[in-house]
């Protein structure tokens, strides 16, 4: 019977809430390593992931946000992709900006 309850949407929300509570309680007690979904390298909010996936099930906008977040983690962020070094200077306090054109 309890398995049948957790197969419904309200039961899934209850199960996620209980797991989030146990996760946070064990994390604050310093015993997070005892939980099967935590290891020593994993830090942060694991319970939020379950709620985000549940939200993404019913909201196409959330699905797009999660896909965008995943693709941003895979892309490199190179330093040289921004403005060229030593050619621009922005002084926010003085309110001036200097742009030096390359000599060609």
């Amino acid at each position: 019977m309890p398995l049948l309850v957790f197969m419904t949407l309200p039961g899934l929300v209850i199960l996620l809430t209980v797991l989030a509570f146990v996760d946070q309680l064990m994390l604050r007690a310093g015993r997070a390593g005892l939980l099967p979904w935590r290891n020593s390298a994993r830090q942060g909010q694991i319970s939020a992931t379950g709620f985000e996936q549940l939200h993404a099930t019913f909201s196409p906008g959330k699905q797009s946000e999660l896909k965008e977040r995943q693709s941003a983690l895979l892309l490199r962020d190179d330093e040289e992709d921004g403005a060229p070094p030593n050619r621009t200077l922005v002084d926010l306090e003085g309110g001036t900006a200097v742009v030096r054109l390359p000599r060609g």
Side-chain angles (χ1 to χ4, degrees):
M1 186 67 176
L3 181 64
L4 188 61
V5 170
F6 292 128
M7 292 178 71
T8 64
L9 186 59
L12 179 62
V13 172
I14 291 169
L15 180 66
L16 282 174
T17 304
V18 168
L19 286 176
F21 180 74
V22 168
D23 182 50
Q24 290 300 310
L25 185 68
M26 296 294 275
L27 185 64
R28 293 179 196 272
R31 304 258 189 241
L34 299 175
L35 299 173
W37 57 86
R38 285 225 184 241
N39 57 22
S40 60
R42 179 74 187 217
Q43 298 293 327
Q45 301 282 338
I46 292 179
S47 55
T49 305
F51 286 110
E52 283 186 343
Q53 291 297 327
L54 181 66
H55 185 199
T57 303
F58 300 107
S59 174
K62 187 67 173 183
Q63 288 176 353
S64 299
E65 178 187 337
L66 292 176
K67 286 180 185 177
E68 179 66 29
R69 194 181 306 167
Q70 183 66 25
S71 66
L73 289 173
L74 297 175
L75 295 176
R76 287 187 354 195
D77 188 22
D78 294 332
E79 289 290 327
E80 59 267 2
D81 284 349
N86 302 325
R87 291 199 344 210
T88 59
L89 175 67
V90 177
D91 182 14
L92 295 177
E93 293 176 4
T96 60
V98 177
V99 178
R100 295 183 195 99
L101 296 176
R103 299 180 194 251

